[in-house]
Amino acid sequence: MMIFKLIDRLSSLSAWLSKAALIVLSVAMLYEVVARYIFNASTIWAFDVSYMATGIAFMFGVAWTAKVDGHVRVDVFSSMMPPRLFRLINGVVYTLLMFPVLSLMAWHGWKKTVNAFLSGEVEMVSIWAPKMWPFYSCIAFGLSLLALQVLVIGLRSLMNENTCRETT
């Protein structure tokens, strides 16, 4: 289905954004180390950039990881099941359990983003005090995309389309 392919493409694009966040993290940490230990001039922003880039990298990579079936799972029992039963259980769990839970988490993430934007919320841990709504929006976007990707995986399982488990 076309919407499935669109969500798959968004997950792949999100994975590239995750990689970009890891580059930002690496550059920021390298800069901080050089500034601190060579020039004795620490930055006020390195701590915030590091945890935000790490969180963004995680949240932007999780939907792609689900797409390629890269999450860790213990498949002692599922490996002994017939493929059709595995697809049925997988489809039901993904569509009726995981999708609603992840959608609820995404909904709360978007609410937190809007509240942070409207209130002008800033980070209170460091002296830099950046606005929090951009970071919250990345978390909400990642959760939303994960929820959609989980729904696609579940529906594909129920429609008996090939899954990564069968092709490996």
Side-chain angles (χ1 to χ4, degrees):
M1 295 180 86
M2 194 164 142
I3 190 76
F4 289 7
K5 289 181 182 180
L6 175 64
I7 293 169
D8 286 342
R9 285 190 186 128
L10 284 173
S11 293
S12 295
L13 173 64
S14 183
W16 281 101
L17 293 173
S18 175
K19 294 172 189 177
L22 290 174
I23 292 170
V24 168
L25 172 65
S26 299
V27 169
M29 290 297 90
L30 179 63
Y31 184 87
E32 173 65 12
V33 167
V34 169
R36 178 179 292 185
Y37 294 109
I38 295 177
F39 300 111
N40 198 26
S42 296
T43 65
I44 62 170
W45 49 265
F47 171 75
D48 295 306
V49 168
S50 68
Y51 85 77
M52 289 181 183
T54 302
I56 290 168
F58 177 80
M59 292 311 301
F60 280 8
V62 73
W64 175 81
T65 306
K67 175 186 167 223
V68 298
D69 198 26
H71 290 285
V72 174
R73 83 170 77 186
V74 178
D75 61 354
V76 173
F77 298 113
S78 65
S79 64
M80 294 184 286
M81 291 180 194
R84 186 173 178 184
L85 178 60
F86 172 78
R87 282 193 308 268
L88 177 65
I89 292 171
N90 204 42
V92 168
V93 168
Y94 274 53
T95 56
L96 299 180
L97 180 67
M98 290 178 64
F99 174 68
V101 169
L102 290 168
S103 296
L104 188 61
M105 290 172 65
W107 172 254
H108 283 289
W110 287 114
K111 280 178 42 178
K112 187 161 181 73
T113 299
V114 169
N115 289 338
F117 179 78
L118 294 175
S119 69
E121 180 182 343
V122 296
E123 175 60 69
M124 299 302 295
V125 175
S126 73
I127 193 170
W128 183 37
K131 298 277 186 191
M132 290 306 294
W133 69 266
F135 179 59
Y136 293 159
S137 66
C138 291
I139 293 172
F141 173 77
L143 286 168
S144 299
L145 189 54
L146 177 60
L148 291 172
Q149 190 66 58
V150 161
L151 179 62
V152 167
I153 292 167
L155 291 175
R156 280 182 174 148
S157 291
L158 292 173
M159 294 167 42
N160 292 324
E161 288 188 19
N162 284 341
T163 62
C164 292
R165 180 178 183 252
E166 294 175 31
T167 59
T168 57

